Amino acid sequence: MSGFDQRPSTQHRPHQAAAGALRLIPIDDDALRTFVDLVGGPALQTPEWATVKPGWEAERLGWADDGGRLVAAALVLHRRLPLGPARLAPRRTLAYVPEGPVTLPAPHAPDPGAVLASLARHVRAEGAFTLRVGPRVRHRVWDAARVRAAIAAGAADLDAVPPARTDPEGARWTAALERLGWTAAPRDLGDGQPWLVAVLDVADRSASDLRTGTNQQWRRNLARAQAAGVEVRRATPADVAVFEDLYAETARRHGFVPRPRGYLTRLLGALGGRARLDVAVHEGAVLAGALTVRTGPRVCYLYGASTARDREVRAANALHWSIALRVAEQGGSLYDLRGVEPGLRPSDPASGLLRFKAGLGADAVEYVGEWELALRPGWSAAYRAVREQQRRRAAR
């Protein structure tokens, strides 16, 4: 992989913030955007993401080696929380790096301990009481065939199934986090970003190759959608409002708290050319939609919605099949279908999502997950207490 040079701005004095050769430096939007695209990093680490998070202040950081090459980057979001009088805590914030920091891949990846330690020192100096990160570093991978075989065999969950491979980078990051005193955040799809996702490799694969990777049920459902005349197309402005309605309906049906009305419309506008909304239409009615965003060779499915009406025409199958084909045809490498949970048995209410995505041919990928570091223990404890109260109220 070719290097990416980001020389420190003459307007800023770089922080000598890490052991060894790494320097923590401020970077601009263009540098962050280019680096995330270079490595196919997550959309939540692009500068555009900061514009859809009202109430958060953003800073952009990079880690440069001796030659000035950027080897890691992070969009850090700071949120001041009402944990006490402002005069006592003028700059006490929660610092959050959603799905980051982002680094060059192995063998060019920097030492995770140096990255984490320098980041913690920096945000603490900026007033943060807690730092939360979620590096998208693979730990374990179960290929689609292994997931489907485990389901057929009646396995309880993925932890009972040997992974197809284990990534050494995941072990390296986990060891560094534990060594530096970080605590693993709860593995809950409702709290933070998903730690287990479904990823479909589409690099250099034809439509025939992708179809071969699906299971029999998926192929039957695709045939039903085609026979019923389901059309998948890019959304019109009028479709966006319909998608918001479908999203609210989906939230009621599955029992999760939706984003407020207008959030998805604002997200589409903020992400600009990176984002796309596709809808599946049957007899003039929008039955399903998927909001995706592209970073480099990766296309990520961020939000989806569907109606319970006309389920027999299998609009969702047609929708995701169309997106996968488009990503492959446009030279992409990965279609990231986002979060799943590890349960495999039909009695597990969340298992249908994993079954659906594995049926398309997506592998189950476990990242190292989100971790927290208490930078000011007293304030961190107060924050945890407030968050627990909020969880209990939401569960009532």
Side-chain angles (χ1 to χ4, degrees), residues 165-183:
R165 56 189 180 276
T166 301
D167 194 319
E169 274 300 292
R172 209 162 69 108
W173 273 84
T174 300
L177 287 158
E178 291 175 342
R179 184 178 70 251
L180 294 172
W182 292 68
T183 301

Side-chain angles (χ1 to χ4, degrees), residues 271-313:
L271 295 178
R274 290 187 182 277
R276 173 169 171 149
L277 177 61
D278 288 279
V279 292
V281 182
H282 178 247
E283 296 182 347
V286 174
L287 301 184
L291 194 163
T292 58
V293 59
R294 182 161 191 157
T295 51
R298 175 189 293 268
V299 170
C300 181
Y301 164 61
L302 282 186
Y303 289 96
S306 63
T307 179
R309 302 187 310 275
D310 300 326
R311 297 294 291 270
E312 69 279 0
V313 303

Side-chain angles (χ1 to χ4, degrees), residues 310-370:
D310 300 326
R311 297 294 291 270
E312 69 279 0
V313 303
R314 305 299 178 183
N317 293 83
L319 178 65
H320 287 285
W321 176 250
S322 176
I323 295 171
L325 287 182
R326 186 183 73 243
V327 176
E329 290 166 357
Q330 293 180 350
S333 62
L334 293 172
Y335 178 28
D336 183 342
L337 288 106
R338 292 291 280 178
V340 291
E341 293 196 19
L344 299 176
R345 289 177 174 162
S347 57
D348 187 325
S351 66
L353 203 57
L354 180 55
R355 288 166 178 260
F356 179 86
K357 296 176 181 181
L360 177 57
D363 301 334
V365 177
E366 179 191 58
Y367 293 118
V368 298
E370 293 199 327

Side-chain angles (χ1 to χ4, degrees), residues 132 137 139-140 142 159 174 184-196 340-342 365-371 391:
R132 183 166 182 157
V137 178
H139 180 43
R140 296 186 293 176
W142 294 264
D159 283 331
T174 300
R187 290 191 158 187
D188 179 354
L189 282 179
D191 182 29
Q193 304 308 317
W195 57 274
L196 184 66
V340 291
E341 293 196 19
V365 177
E366 179 191 58
Y367 293 118
V368 298
E370 293 199 327
W371 295 67
R391 284 200 192 108

Side-chain angles (χ1 to χ4, degrees), residues 21-33:
L22 290 185
R23 287 175 300 137
L24 180 61
I25 59 173
I27 60 175
D28 59 23
D29 281 355
D30 286 342
L32 178 60
R33 184 180 297 113

